[in-house]
């Protein structure tokens, strides 16, 4: 489970329940270098160093076992690179609002939507909390704010600014996006109101992932799993079923 930038593992906890209902999937939540419980991690000078550190951790944690990847935003970019590097062990990918283009200036983003309605609860938030929430909010409601406060805001308060600055200043990976590919079940979930990575850039993945399911959910922003939990959970549930089906097929082929 690979979170976004600069968040921590809590950003993906809302998906835990749907995974839990699909059998005995062991979840490994990783706090990326410079973030969350890994905020004191040293020697990180960019995204490539993050990838190398995460690859080493995964190889140590899983050994020769097969596994699937759930990657959110920056974690989706890392997940694609890991699936390419460890293709024989990776069963499939679930990419939530994935970062496709490193350079933010080169991304295709939807037209910014102005929040015409200003719910009363916003006035009760601190200036920093309000700014953090409205920066990515696609639907401004009190219920949505509570989810943001529980799962997103803690990570925004738990990172090392020096490490984050180094990653932000050297964001490219040595492996180009167009060379990242995988043949296993792949789910790409995007929000049509995502003002951080958009949704249309993800369409470029279709030819790279032959078993890819793509969804662009209206009313969803960069916190898509908080904005549209029901369709996201349904699609993740189907992806998990597809993974299980691919495992069963592999087992039968080995038996034969």
């Amino acid at each position: 489970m690979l979170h976004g930038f600069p968040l921590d593992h809590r950003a993906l906890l809302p998906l835990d329940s749907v995974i839990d209902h699909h059998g005995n999937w062991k979840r490994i939540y990783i706090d990326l270098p410079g973030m969350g419980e890994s905020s004191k991690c040293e020697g990180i000078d960019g995204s490539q160093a993050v990838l190398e550190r995460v690859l080493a951790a995964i190889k140590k944690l899983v050994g020769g076992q097969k596994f699937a990847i759930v990657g959110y935003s920056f974690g989706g970019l890392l997940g694609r690179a890991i699936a390419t590097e460890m293709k024989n062990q990776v069963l499939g990918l679930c990419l939530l609002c994935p970062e496709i283009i490193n350079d933010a200036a080169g991304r295709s983003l939807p037209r910014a939507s102005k929040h015409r309605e200003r719910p009363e609860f916003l006035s009760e938030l601190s200036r920093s909390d309000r700014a953090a929430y409205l920066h990515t909010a696609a639907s401004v409601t009190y219920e949505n704010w509570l989810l943001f406060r529980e799962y997103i805001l803690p990570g925004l308060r738990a990172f090392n600014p020096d490490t984050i600055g180094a990653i932000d200043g050297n964001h490219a990976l040595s492996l180009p996006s167009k060379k990242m590919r995988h043949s296993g079940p792949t789910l790409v979930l995007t929000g049509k109101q995502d003002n951080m990575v958009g949704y249309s850039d993800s369409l470029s993945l279709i030819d790279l992932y032959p078993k890819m399911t793509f969804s662009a959910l209206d009313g969803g922003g960069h916190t898509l799993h908080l904005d549209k939990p029901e369709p996201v959970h349904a699609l993740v549930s189907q992806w998990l079923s597809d993974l299980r089906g691919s495992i069963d097929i592999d087992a039968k082929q080995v038996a034969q």
Side-chain angles (χ1 to χ4, degrees):
M1 308 287 283
L2 303 172
H3 61 78
F5 176 90
L7 303 174
D8 68 8
H9 72 279
R10 284 169 285 194
L12 284 171
L13 288 177
L15 297 180
D16 203 63
S17 61
V18 66
I19 298 173
D20 193 49
H21 282 106
H22 264 268
N24 298 320
W25 287 100
K26 179 182 178 180
R27 275 86 77 193
I28 300 175
Y29 287 89
I30 295 177
D31 277 352
L32 299 177
M35 298 166 243
E37 294 296 320
S38 301
S39 61
K40 295 182 180 180
C41 190
E42 298 180 350
I44 301 297
D45 60 2
S47 295
Q48 183 63 33
V50 173
L51 173 60
E52 291 170 2
R53 197 70 63 87
V54 173
L55 268 169
I58 290 175
K59 290 176 180 179
K60 183 177 181 180
L61 287 166
V62 306
Q65 297 180 79
K66 292 190 175 184
F67 62 97
I69 298 172
V70 177
Y72 174 31
S73 192
F74 179 54
L77 177 66
L78 296 176
R80 292 180 59 216
I82 292 165
T84 304
E85 173 75 18
M86 303 179 69
K87 61 182 179 181
N88 292 329
Q89 283 181 251
V90 175
L91 297 166
L93 295 128
C94 173
L95 305 175
L96 176 67
C97 304
E99 178 184 309
I100 305 300
I101 297 176
N102 297 122
D103 183 4
R107 296 170 187 166
S108 299
L109 301 179
R111 181 178 298 179
S113 57
K114 295 182 179 179
H115 301 294
R116 293 186 176 87
E117 296 183 7
R118 306 283 289 190
E120 187 175 339
F121 78 89
L122 289 176
S123 63
E124 300 173 0
L125 307 183
S126 69
R127 181 179 297 181
S128 61
D129 285 359
R130 183 167 59 249
Y133 177 55
L134 293 178
H135 184 59
T136 58
S139 176
V140 179
T141 67
Y142 184 64
E143 292 74 16
N144 187 260
W145 153 250
L146 292 178
L147 293 171
F148 182 91
R149 185 180 67 180
E150 182 175 358
Y151 297 112
I152 304 298
L153 196 58
L156 293 174
R157 291 173 170 167
F159 63 81
N160 184 316
D162 292 333
T163 304
I164 294 305
I167 297 170
D168 206 26
N170 186 15
H171 215 47
L173 298 178
S174 60
L175 182 67
S177 177
K178 62 183 179 182
K179 290 190 176 182
M180 298 180 191
R181 54 183 69 228
H182 196 265
S183 60
T186 302
L187 174 63
V188 179
L189 296 168
T190 67
K192 293 193 73 174
Q193 284 72 44
D194 187 333
N195 64 339
M196 300 298 290
V197 299
Y199 64 92
S200 59
D201 290 333
S202 292
L203 290 169
S204 66
L205 304 182
I206 288 178
D207 293 333
L208 303 177
Y209 298 88
K211 294 182 180 179
M212 172 176 150
T213 297
F214 173 82
S215 181
L217 297 175
D218 188 43
H222 198 56
T223 53
L224 181 65
H225 53 319
L226 308 185
D227 302 335
K228 308 291 288 185
E230 291 185 3
V232 166
H233 285 197
L235 287 162
V236 171
S237 179
Q238 181 58 55
W239 172 71
L240 290 165
S241 293
D242 292 342
L243 281 181
R244 183 65 65 187
S246 68
I247 294 171
D248 292 341
I249 291 173
D250 287 345
K252 289 179 180 178
Q253 289 175 342
V254 171
Q256 292 173 353

